[in-house]
Amino acid sequence: MTGVVNHLEQAWLAGVFAPVADELDATDLAVTGALPPGLRGAYVRTGPNPRFEPIGRYHIFDGDGMLHAVTFADGRASYRNRWIRSAGLAAEERAGRALYGGMFEQVYPDAGEVGDAGSMKNTGNTHIVRHAGQLYALMEAAKPTRIGADLSTEGEWDFGGRLRSSCTAHPKIDPETGEMLFFGYLPRLTYHVVDATGDLMRSVPIETEHPTMMHDFVTTRGHVVFLDSPAVMDFASFFDGGPLASWRPELGTRVGVMPRDGVSADVRWFDMDNTWIAHFLNGYEDDGGIVVEGCAMDEFNFGLAADGRAAAAEGVLSRIRIDLATGAVTREALDDRVGDFPRINDDRTGLPNRYGYVAWYAGDSTENGFDALVKYDLHTGASEEFVFPGCTVGEFAFAPDPAGTGEDDGWLVGFVHSGDATASDLCVFDAHRVAAGPIARVHMPRRVPFGFHGNWFAAD
Ligand SMILES: [Fe+2]
């Protein structure tokens, strides 16, 4: 414990990160440009938005999840934001103050204050996905939280008692089978398969040499791929006030490939050079091997430095090839520019894809985070970008054009925050012409804090 500090000076509570204090509903939002008639549905994004003043030093991973939805119907746009009302947040609302600490401040509430909410808050602040008609808000240390179509919180979901591990914030939905594949690493690495109707069918423990932190993984038509980087968790250190995970390069990095119907003994582990990949773009089977693409860093950096400054993500879009015959693994950078939040047309998940979309740093400073969106043509190596000078760019999700058939027939939707952190637009790009800039900017009725991940949910 370091005691209470001046929270207004904490980087993750200021500027584009600063939380908003209430929940709004707004209709008929002002739009600059023209909304495409085919864009029907909702873009929903989650992110941290602490409801109460944090206890001590605040880490961006700590904040209560807040959902921001921009819904398009009949050529108009509307906005709604709602906190994810976890059991932990409900206990804090009863108390009228924060009860839980966070990544920097290991403060745990009295059981009498929080009841069955437990010693850790399931914020759901990292991602939101829809599977079998159900929305799930996700954070990797806990179970999914079911969310209603009106953004109401329905509660934690353990698939009828079958889910015994945590759930990654980056599950994969197979566009061919409709299955949702995911893993959890708490208390141990476990792979799960949910069928197309939403029932958890398989849970497979995977043995690893060390308790490593994994944020994302890759699925292909036939395999699942785990990157076992030396980001090793140390709970004894954490409960003593130290970092939850530390980078231990001497332990090396392995990539594990398992048949989708396999078990731990079927995993083939291949050594590769040390890397940390927070987010994968995609992966697919290719000529006797597997191709994995993602934003690779030489080591992991969660901004866990004691000064609490937001650390810049320093990933470079990279391609890893795993030769299943020889065991050779190669990694090559596809760019020399730094970025993250890689996304594709999710209809290509696990299948060969041509296009990728990444947020990156065009400006000289990384102080305000990403300021540009880039589209990669992975077949030709070409790329095109659009820069929002002085602004902060969030993740862009791909919204397919219902009338289209091509991989990039559709739109890219994501939040862009003004440099003075007073306003946010939901920007819509024609995915064919990223360099032309947004075709429409939906002006939010009030700034939206920078957050993590979101998805496009097409109207039925
Ligand atoms: Fe993520």
Side-chain angles (χ1 to χ4, degrees):
M1 279 287 295
T2 57
V4 174
V5 298
N6 181 349
H7 303 292
L8 294 178
E9 293 181 4
Q10 291 186 253
W12 282 316
L13 294 172
V16 296
F17 302 106
V20 294
D22 54 9
E23 300 175 326
L24 294 181
D25 287 277
T27 58
D28 219 355
L29 302 179
V31 178
T32 300
L35 291 173
L39 190 67
R40 293 180 54 254
Y43 173 71
V44 187
R45 200 217 64 198
T46 187
N49 195 94
R51 170 76 174 81
F52 295 103
E53 182 171 329
I55 300 170
R57 291 174 300 155
Y58 172 74
H59 189 283
I60 192 172
F61 292 172
D62 299 340
D64 299 293
M66 178 176 273
L67 299 166
H68 301 266
V70 182
T71 301
F72 301 91
D74 304 322
R76 294 179 176 180
S78 59
Y79 170 78
R80 167 173 291 186
N81 71 306
R82 293 290 185 272
W83 266 288
I84 295 170
R85 290 215 145 62
S86 63
L89 176 55
E92 292 184 327
E93 288 184 322
R94 288 193 298 273
R97 61 185 170 85
L99 300 174
Y100 292 85
M103 296 291 289
F104 289 138
E105 304 285 354
Q106 288 82 51
V107 174
Y108 300 95
D110 294 335
E113 283 184 295
V114 299
D116 58 7
S119 59
M120 187 198 72
K121 190 164 32 172
N122 180 357
T123 62
N125 70 12
T126 314
H127 204 353
I128 180 161
V129 302
R130 183 171 68 178
H131 182 247
Q134 175 66 56
L135 293 172
Y136 299 100
L138 303 168
M139 73 172 283
E140 69 189 49
K143 293 183 169 52
T145 297
R146 293 207 287 193
I147 301 295
D150 60 356
L151 303 188
S152 59
T153 299
E154 297 175 347
E156 247 180 25
W157 177 238
D158 62 5
F159 294 89
R162 294 181 192 172
L163 178 60
R164 305 290 177 83
S165 80
S166 61
C167 172
T168 175
H170 293 283
K172 302 291 182 273
I173 297 172
D174 186 315
E176 296 179 312
T177 69
E179 295 168 301
M180 181 168 72
L181 312 175
F182 67 95
F183 70 95
Y185 64 79
L186 295 172
R188 59 185 297 202
L189 183 61
T190 310
Y191 163 66
H192 304 276
V193 179
V194 174
D195 73 11
T197 70
D199 287 333
L200 181 61
M201 306 303 287
R202 292 185 72 218
S203 293
V204 180
I206 307 292
E207 299 295 333
T208 57
E209 291 183 11
H210 310 282
T212 49
M213 186 175 265
M214 290 185 192
H215 185 64
D216 195 358
F217 79 141
V218 167
T219 62
T220 71
R221 263 195 178 126
H223 296 87
V224 290
V225 182
F226 301 101
L227 186 65
D228 188 21
S229 299
V232 182
M233 291 182 291
D234 184 342
F235 289 101
S237 159
F238 183 62
F239 293 132
D240 204 30
L244 176 59
S246 56
W247 185 249
R248 296 178 59 188
E250 73 279 9
L251 299 178
T253 295
R254 305 182 307 162
V255 60
V257 180
M258 184 181 82
R260 273 174 49 167
D261 59 356
V263 296
S264 184
D266 301 317
V267 181
R268 296 178 64 195
W269 291 103
F270 304 103
D271 292 331
M272 64 175 292
D273 60 324
N274 269 337
T275 187
W276 166 260
I277 297 179
H279 296 120
F280 294 100
L281 180 74
N282 194 25
Y284 52 89
E285 317 268 336
D286 181 58
D287 193 25
I290 290 177
V291 172
V292 170
E293 291 168 344
C295 292
M297 310 177 201
D298 290 334
E299 61 183 86
F300 93 135
N301 180 350
F302 285 158
L304 294 173
D307 65 3
R309 293 293 296 171
E314 296 173 343
V316 171
L317 187 65
S318 301
R319 178 177 295 144
I320 296 170
R321 284 187 181 275
I322 306 163
D323 186 322
L324 294 177
T326 67
V329 180
T330 60
R331 171 162 72 104
E332 63 170 322
L334 300 178
D335 203 339
D336 55 7
R337 295 175 294 191
V338 169
D340 209 299
F341 285 150
R343 295 297 297 262
I344 59 168
N345 178 341
D346 289 332
D347 289 344
R348 306 304 301 168
T349 300
L351 305 172
N353 63 297
R354 178 168 181 175
Y355 301 110
Y357 311 94
V358 176
W360 64 276
Y361 302 100
D364 295 333
S365 169
T366 58
E367 188 74 15
N368 288 323
F370 309 116
D371 60 359
L373 173 67
V374 60
K375 174 187 181 181
Y376 290 96
D377 182 333
L378 299 160
H379 284 184
T380 67
S383 65
E384 59 177 290
E385 70 273 355
F386 185 81
V387 182
F388 294 87
C391 296
T392 301
V393 170
E395 180 187 68
F396 274 76
F398 186 86
D401 180 349
T405 55
E407 185 185 321
D408 62 349
D409 288 346
W411 304 279
L412 297 159
V413 289
F415 285 115
V416 176
H417 313 275
S418 66
D420 60 2
T422 59
S424 308
D425 289 342
L426 193 284
C427 289
V428 180
F429 282 80
D430 179 341
H432 298 111
R433 286 178 286 277
V434 166
I439 58 172
R441 288 172 175 254
V442 185
H443 306 298
M444 295 299 103
R446 185 262 315 277
R447 61 173 284 273
V448 171
F450 182 83
F452 296 131
H453 304 287
N455 261 319
W456 171 256
F457 303 119
D460 294 332

